[in-house]
């Protein structure tokens, strides 16, 4: 998936599932996606409770169930900064 396709998918998921009460920032080489606590989605580099940094390719593999998210973190394909307990809530969104 391209950055734009991932962005559209996250917008759809956030609209469907609503706010999670915490904010997430996805940092890709192609851009930034911030999901606010209320479920709003922005491409501005806003503050968030947790930042997930990865490539579009790795994120696509996780979304498609081809790569386990915990394994991706353990192998360094995904880096998480900020509140780690917030990162666990990400499974509710995805």
């Amino acid at each position: 998936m391209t950055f734009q396709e991932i962005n559209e998918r996250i917008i759809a998921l956030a609209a469907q599932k609503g706010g999670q009460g915490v904010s997430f920032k996805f940092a890709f080489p192609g851009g930034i996606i911030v999901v606010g606590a209320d479920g709003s989605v922005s491409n501005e580099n806003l503050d968030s409770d947790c930042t997930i940094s990865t490539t579009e390719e790795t994120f696509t593999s996780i979304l498609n169930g081809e790569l386990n998210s915990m394994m991706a973190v353990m192998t360094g394909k995904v880096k998480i900064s900020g509140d780690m307990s917030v990162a666990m809530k990400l499974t509710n969104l995805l």
Side-chain angles (χ1 to χ4, degrees), residues 11-89:
I11 289 170
L13 287 169
Q16 176 186 5
K17 305 218 175 162
Q20 302 296 310
V22 293
S23 60
F24 305 97
K25 181 187 301 183
F26 297 97
F28 298 103
I32 301 241
I33 303 169
V34 177
V35 180
D38 61 354
S40 62
V41 179
S42 172
N43 295 117
E44 295 180 39
N45 192 6
L46 304 171
D47 289 337
S48 63
D49 297 310
C50 179
T51 300
I52 296 96
S53 302
T54 190
T55 65
E56 289 88 348
E57 180 182 26
T58 297
F59 192 75
T60 299
S61 294
I62 292 169
L63 283 178
N64 292 337
E66 299 162 357
L67 177 63
N68 178 284
S69 58
M70 293 306 281
M71 186 59 69
V73 171
M74 298 291 218
T75 59
K77 291 182 178 187
V78 173
K79 293 182 176 36
I80 300 173
S81 57
D83 190 337
M84 295 298 258
S85 65
V86 170
M88 299 306 286
K89 292 185 179 188

Side-chain angles (χ1 to χ4, degrees), residues 3-23:
F3 173 77
Q4 188 58 40
E5 291 169 329
I6 291 171
N7 190 53
E8 290 170 10
R9 178 113 177 238
I10 289 176
I11 289 170
L13 287 169
Q16 176 186 5
K17 305 218 175 162
Q20 302 296 310
V22 293
S23 60

